[in-house]
Amino acid sequence: MSKTILYLIPLLPLVALSPSRAIVWSDVTPVLFQDQAAAQADNEDTGNDAAIRELELFRAAKVPLRRAIAIAEELHAGSRAADVTFDSSSGSAVYRVRTTRKSQIWENAIDVKTGEVAGSETVLSLENLDATDRNNFVALKDVRQKLSVAVLIAEKAADGKAIGASLLNKDGKLHFLVLIVSDDHLKEVILEPPRATRP
């Protein structure tokens, strides 16, 4: 695997964004589907086939990831998206979006073709999360930008479509990690959001 260099940029302002400063490149598309590839490590061809099928399903999605975030946030007034992933393991492709408000967390599946909520909602509290996730969710309260804004910036910077986004703690600071599919490459964009100002 090629060596990558991580660059951090603030989300302020969009017009000053330099794409070359924001992107960590990966030359291997199957990195996008590490779970599937790891599960099928005994058969490399099968793993590659699964990655290709997953990528085809994602490219056929009619609902962009940012719209799925908005749909999930509308389900619970005042909630904010903390992470979103593309998932086709159940046979139909969905975005799994976790939103949060105070100590409550909701996970909803949003159909990538219709934008409708698929299946039943999962409800958690902060206490149900491991320490890392719990700390990231708590730190999100002090972040001014929304995950959907980070996705928009990352898509423009990397010239592609977001397939996932999450919170990342780097050196004690919360960042947004956005995975972008551009041509046949996966690009990781890591952005440092501005903190909310306290009165």
Side-chain angles (χ1 to χ4, degrees):
M1 182 172 290
S2 62
K3 184 178 177 184
T4 56
I5 300 173
L6 179 65
Y7 293 94
L8 302 177
I9 60 169
L11 291 178
L12 298 172
L14 180 59
V15 293
L17 181 66
S18 170
S20 62
R21 292 173 44 220
I23 302 168
V24 177
W25 298 82
S26 172
D27 295 327
V28 185
T29 300
V31 168
L32 182 61
F33 314 106
Q34 282 180 314
D35 291 342
Q36 292 93 335
Q40 300 170 359
D42 293 337
N43 187 339
E44 187 175 313
D45 290 337
T46 304
N48 288 337
D49 291 345
I52 290 167
R53 279 192 304 275
E54 189 90 351
L55 189 56
E56 287 171 356
L57 287 170
F58 173 69
R59 287 186 171 140
K62 304 233 183 300
V63 176
L65 184 131
R66 281 185 294 122
R67 180 66 189 130
I69 289 173
I71 292 166
E73 288 177 335
E74 289 167 5
L75 295 174
H76 301 281
S79 68
R80 295 180 65 180
D83 62 57
V84 55
T85 57
F86 179 83
D87 179 17
S88 66
S89 62
S90 64
S92 59
V94 297
Y95 293 111
R96 296 204 178 278
V97 186
R98 284 199 301 175
T99 57
T100 183
R101 185 183 65 224
K102 297 184 181 175
S103 63
Q104 198 81 24
I105 299 162
W106 300 273
E107 182 178 305
N108 292 97
I110 308 298
D111 188 286
V112 302
K113 290 188 177 179
T114 65
E116 294 178 4
V117 177
S120 58
E121 178 177 79
T122 301
V123 181
L124 302 167
S125 75
L126 283 175
E127 290 75 36
N128 298 120
L129 302 179
D130 64 34
T132 301
D133 283 343
R134 186 169 48 249
N135 291 339
N136 286 345
F137 273 70
V138 169
L140 183 62
K141 295 173 186 174
D142 292 328
V143 171
R144 205 168 57 221
Q145 236 90 24
K146 289 184 144 197
L147 186 61
S148 57
V149 173
V151 168
L152 174 63
I153 292 170
E155 287 179 331
K156 288 179 182 279
D159 192 26
K161 286 176 56 178
I163 192 168
S166 63
L167 305 176
L168 171 71
N169 189 299
K170 176 82 173 141
D171 300 325
K173 291 183 179 177
L174 188 70
H175 297 85
F176 292 129
L177 168 64
V178 185
L179 299 176
I180 303 288
V181 174
S182 179
D183 298 322
D184 288 328
H185 298 281
L186 171 69
K187 302 176 184 180
E188 291 181 341
V189 181
I190 297 178
L191 305 126
E192 181 178 352
R195 302 292 178 249
T197 53
R198 298 285 181 199

